[in-house]
Structure formats: C-alpha cells, structure tokens
Amino acid sequence: MSVRVPSLSVLPPVRRDRIIAQLPQCYSEKAAVHTKDEFHSKVKTACQEQRTGTVGRFKIAKVIVVGDLAVGKTCLINRFCKDAFDKNYKATIGVDFEMERFEVLGVPFSLQLWDTAGQERFKCIASTYYRGAQTIVIVFDVNDVASLGHARQWLEDALKENDPTGVQLFLVGTKKDLSSPAQYVQIEQDAIQLAEEIQAEYWAVSSLTGENVRDFFFRVASLAFEANVLAELEKSGSRHIGDIVKLNNTSNNAYATSKKKQSNCC
Ligand SMILES: Nc1nc2c(ncn2[C@@H]2O[C@H](COP(=O)(O)OP(=O)(O)OP(=O)(O)O)[C@@H](O)[C@H]2O)c(=O)[nH]1
Ligand SMILES: [Mg+2]
C-alpha cells in the first residue's frame, strides 16, 4: 500500500486549467445531482463578497473512488491528475491518493481523491479510508455488466462509514472507447436507471481517449464546492461567516486526519 501525504507548505499553486468560472453541466439530465444551469445565487454572492467561511481557507473535500477490480479507477484518476494512461493493469494495493487544487468562482478549493483497491483481499484496508467522504464515486466498466451489478454493494459499504444525507454520489462508466454504440446504449439504460434509484449522477468516460474525464472532475469539484458553501452559509445563518469562523488548523486539517489514519492502518 502506498499513501503519499504532502504537507500544506509544498502544495503547488492552482493551475490555470483548474479554474472554474461557471457551473459545468451534468452528463445526463435523467440522472444528475441537479440540473441547474448556474451555481446557486447565494453561492455566487457569497463568493463575490468573500463570505465563504472555511471554504477557501484550506477547505478540502474528500472524494472516494470505489468499484470492482480493474474497472479503471486508477486510470480515471491518473488521466485527470497526470494526463497519463497506462494500458498495463497494476492493481491498487489498499489505497492511494491525489490532491487536486481548483479555484471555483475565485475561491481556492481542493479535492482529495482517494483511489481504493477493488480486489477483495485489499478491501478491508481500503474500507478504513472511506470515512469522512463528501463524494462517493462508484466506478464500473461499461463492457462488464457484472461490475454495474456490484455497484449497489460498493455503495452500501461506503455508506457504512458515512452519513448518507451528507454525501454526493456519482456512478461512472469507464472504458467507453471499448464499447460499440449498440452495446453502450443498452448498458447506459441500466446504469441511468440504477443512478436514478440510488440518487447518483451518471457519467460515462474513457481514460484512454480522455473523453469526459475533465468535465466529470470539474463537475465533482463544482458540486462539492457549492454544497460546502451552502452548508457554511446555513451554519452561520444571516451572520457574516467570513468574520466569525476561524479555522482551527489542528481539528480541521484533513492532512492531520489522514496521517492519523495512516499510522493506525494495518
Ligand atoms: N481501453 C481502455 N482501457 C482502460 C480504461 N481505463 C482503464 N483501462 C484498463 O483497464 C485495466 C485496469 O485499470 P485500473 O485503472 O488499474 O483499474 P482499477 O479499477 O484501478 O483496478 P484495482 O486497482 O485493482 O481496483 C488497465 O489495464 C487499464 O489500462 C479505458 O478507459 N479504456
Ligand atoms: Mg487501481
């Protein structure tokens, strides 16, 4: 198992191609977290007035990526974070993670992307990292019906460690480049139906060609950001949250939490 934990002081600056000025649209209106064209007006105003509280001050949203072995979880993350693709399968042992920094509506915001192992023998290690997720991404291979069939079980396992009301769910079909249009149409129907049932947003991507990968992660970052700012606004009611919320570096630092978990890990 490899877990790399960068310190805050060595984080690179936000890349120019990680700047989000508008809400990216969903993949399918039939299965979306929401279908609004723009960020919530309260969120836009809060950002303009720099009233986003702890969001923007080292706020990091934890995203866990789960799903059957070899469906393409690692390739999906690597395509986005490193613009790389490896055709050779190398199983993830336990977990790995990547940090991605964005700027959303002028506010810094980071995603901590946890790439978990799909292999049964590593599942017990991986599941100890599920806790505290804000976003759960369930991955399946669009050419493998069984991997879609297992999505509910992955969700159930991830929700054991998280508050179901507080998480955003995504169901992502990978390896779109390998499927014929006819095959794809069939599995997409089933996937969208499942996504509707579990209230997940559906996406289909190819890490080989890069199709939809960037749009997908931009959508994840934007929806997590929007939910975080709305939660901050709700927490502080009509008060000016930027004036009253002080970040406690020890208790709110996700890196500290990760380090703690790392040392407890089997
Ligand atoms: N053609 C094609 N192959 C892909 C794509 N994504 C992943 N693969 C291949 O599928 C295999 C498994 O990919 P991984 O990303 O390692 O799978 P994983 O889900 O991380 O697997 P575990 O770590 O064991 O859970 C590799 O051989 C990849 O090259 C894709 O979009 N298109
Ligand atoms: Mg992997």
Side-chain angles (χ1 to χ4, degrees):
M1 180 183 65
S2 65
V3 178
R4 283 166 285 121
V5 184
S7 81
L8 280 174
S9 58
V10 297
L11 283 179
V14 178
R15 283 166 43 176
R16 278 169 163 248
D17 61 354
R18 294 289 186 259
I19 292 175
I20 302 174
Q22 276 175 344
L23 180 68
Q25 295 306 289
C26 58
Y27 178 83
S28 162
E29 295 208 343
K30 288 188 216 152
V33 168
H34 69 64
T35 55
K36 297 186 185 82
D37 289 340
E38 291 182 32
F39 281 107
H40 197 294
S41 57
K42 280 186 187 169
V43 172
K44 286 197 284 185
T45 309
C47 293
Q48 275 160 10
E49 295 174 359
Q50 298 183 337
R51 290 189 295 107
T52 54
T54 59
V55 183
R57 292 191 225 155
F58 307 123
K59 184 73 191 182
I60 299 164
K62 178 172 178 177
V63 179
I64 57 167
V65 181
V66 299
D68 277 7
L69 76 155
V71 290
K73 300 178 292 298
T74 302
C75 286
L76 176 63
I77 291 171
N78 284 345
R79 170 55 78 195
F80 182 63
C81 298
K82 302 173 182 160
D83 199 18
F85 177 80
D86 188 350
K87 64 178 173 32
N88 301 309
Y89 172 49
K90 217 169 95 203
T92 302
I93 299 168
V95 291
D96 203 348
F97 85 74
E98 292 288 339
M99 281 289 298
E100 271 300 326
R101 300 188 67 215
F102 296 84
E103 191 184 290
V104 190
L105 299 177
V107 178
F109 185 68
S110 297
L111 291 185
Q112 195 181 43
L113 300 168
W114 287 83
D115 177 17
T116 70
Q119 284 199 22
E120 198 60 41
R121 62 192 162 133
F122 303 129
K123 236 174 135 180
C124 97
I125 308 171
S127 62
T128 61
Y129 289 85
Y130 290 173
R131 188 165 301 167
Q134 259 192 320
T135 305
I136 299 171
V137 178
I138 307 155
V139 179
F140 72 98
D141 175 348
V142 297
N143 311 287
D144 175 6
V145 178
S147 68
L148 177 61
H150 299 149
R152 271 184 197 278
Q153 187 59 53
W154 284 106
L155 175 61
E156 206 176 289
D157 292 347
L159 287 181
K160 274 183 203 150
E161 305 291 335
N162 288 289
D163 168 15
T165 57
V167 293
Q168 289 178 337
L169 302 180
F170 289 83
L171 179 66
V172 179
T174 53
K175 310 192 190 181
K176 199 165 178 260
D177 59 283
L178 292 178
S179 71
S180 70
Q183 255 180 335
Y184 177 70
V185 166
Q186 180 58 49
I187 198 151
E188 186 182 73
Q189 271 179 8
D190 297 344
I192 287 182
Q193 193 185 331
L194 174 65
E196 282 178 285
E197 283 168 20
I198 62 174
Q199 295 184 317
E201 177 158 314
Y202 174 68
W203 281 77
V205 301
S206 165
S207 304
L208 185 144
T209 65
E211 184 185 353
N212 294 332
V213 172
R214 184 174 180 274
D215 290 348
F216 165 66
F217 282 105
F218 269 44
R219 179 84 175 159
V220 169
S222 300
L223 292 179
F225 175 82
E226 186 176 57
N228 269 286
V229 176
L230 285 172
E232 285 282 327
L233 292 171
E234 200 168 301
K235 230 185 341 183
S236 58
S238 58
R239 290 169 299 178
H240 277 220
I241 58 178
D243 297 339
I244 57 152
V245 177
K246 291 264 183 289
L247 180 71
N248 174 334
N249 269 335
T250 317
S251 60
N252 286 353
N253 184 341
Y255 290 119
T257 314
S258 306
K259 276 179 179 160
K260 227 183 283 165
K261 282 184 177 171
Q262 189 186 10
S263 62
N264 288 342
C265 174
C266 46

